[in-house]
């Protein structure tokens, strides 16, 4: 009787977990766009081999006071077509939002254009200092990607 209890309490759960785990793993590996990454590389190594999904274009490293900061964005991932673009400039010292622009329904894949489409982001900054521009792109399925860059105003 004691051996049956040992079998039910200890051995059966182990057998069922192995069977269930094997079925789940087999199902996951059957999906074509899934992969089993048991040994992920550090983010620095993996990002050097991958192209960034967003690039900030026309951003200078230095601007004069009241000179407008004008940028465009290149999106290298077509899954973000017809998404919403948000551009925010922060003060690097206080992390305070200085200005922000939102551009909704930015469709660019068919025309292979830069965004914002038929519009531009142009904001003058009137205080000298160090700033950071952050670009966020949100697709229709609510996935997002982001990039940032720093510049100075003298």
């Amino acid at each position: 009787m004691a051996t049956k209890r040992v079998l039910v309490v200890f051995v059966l759960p182990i057998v069922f977990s192995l069977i269930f785990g094997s079925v789940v793993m087999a199902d996951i590996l059957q999906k074509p766009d899934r992969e089993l990454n048991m040994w992920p590389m550090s983010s620095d190594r993996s990002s050097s081999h991958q192209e960034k999904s967003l690039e900030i274009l026309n951003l200078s490293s230095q601007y004069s006071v009241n000179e407008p900061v004008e940028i465009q964005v290149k999106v290298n991932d077509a899954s973000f077509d017809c998404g919403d673009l948000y551009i925010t400039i922060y003060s690097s010292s206080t992390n305070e939002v200085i200005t922000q622009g939102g551009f909704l329904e930015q469709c660019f894949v068919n025309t292979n254009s830069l965004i914002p489409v038929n519009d531009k982001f142009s904001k003058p900054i009137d205080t000298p200092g160090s700033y950071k521009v952050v670009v966020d792109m949100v697709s229709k399925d609510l996935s997002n990607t982001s990039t940032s860059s720093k510049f100075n105003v003298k």
Side-chain angles (χ1 to χ4, degrees), residues 89-98 125 127-134 148-153:
I89 296 179
Y90 295 92
S91 169
S92 289
S93 60
T94 63
N95 210 23
E96 177 183 330
V97 174
I98 302 302
I125 298 180
T127 306
S130 180
Y131 296 90
K132 178 170 79 167
V133 62
V134 177
S148 65
S149 189
K150 293 186 177 185
F151 65 95
N152 294 311
V153 174

Side-chain angles (χ1 to χ4, degrees), residues 44-119:
D44 295 337
R45 281 189 195 164
S46 61
S47 65
S48 67
H49 296 292
Q50 297 176 355
E51 185 176 358
K52 283 186 168 183
S53 57
L54 286 179
E55 292 180 51
I56 300 173
L57 304 175
N58 305 328
L59 181 67
S60 298
S61 61
Q62 187 165 320
Y63 291 90
S64 299
V65 172
N66 290 325
E67 179 183 356
V69 176
E70 296 182 0
I71 65 168
Q72 289 186 301
V73 179
K74 181 179 180 187
V75 182
N76 298 317
D77 187 348
S79 67
F80 289 96
D81 188 28
C82 292
D84 300 336
L85 173 70
Y86 301 98
I87 301 172
T88 309
I89 296 179
Y90 295 92
S91 169
S92 289
S93 60
T94 63
N95 210 23
E96 177 183 330
V97 174
I98 302 302
T99 186
Q100 187 173 36
F103 305 91
L104 306 178
E105 292 296 316
Q106 296 293 301
C107 300
F108 55 88
V109 168
N110 291 337
T111 59
N112 198 21
S113 57
L114 301 175
I115 55 176
V117 177
N118 298 328
D119 206 348

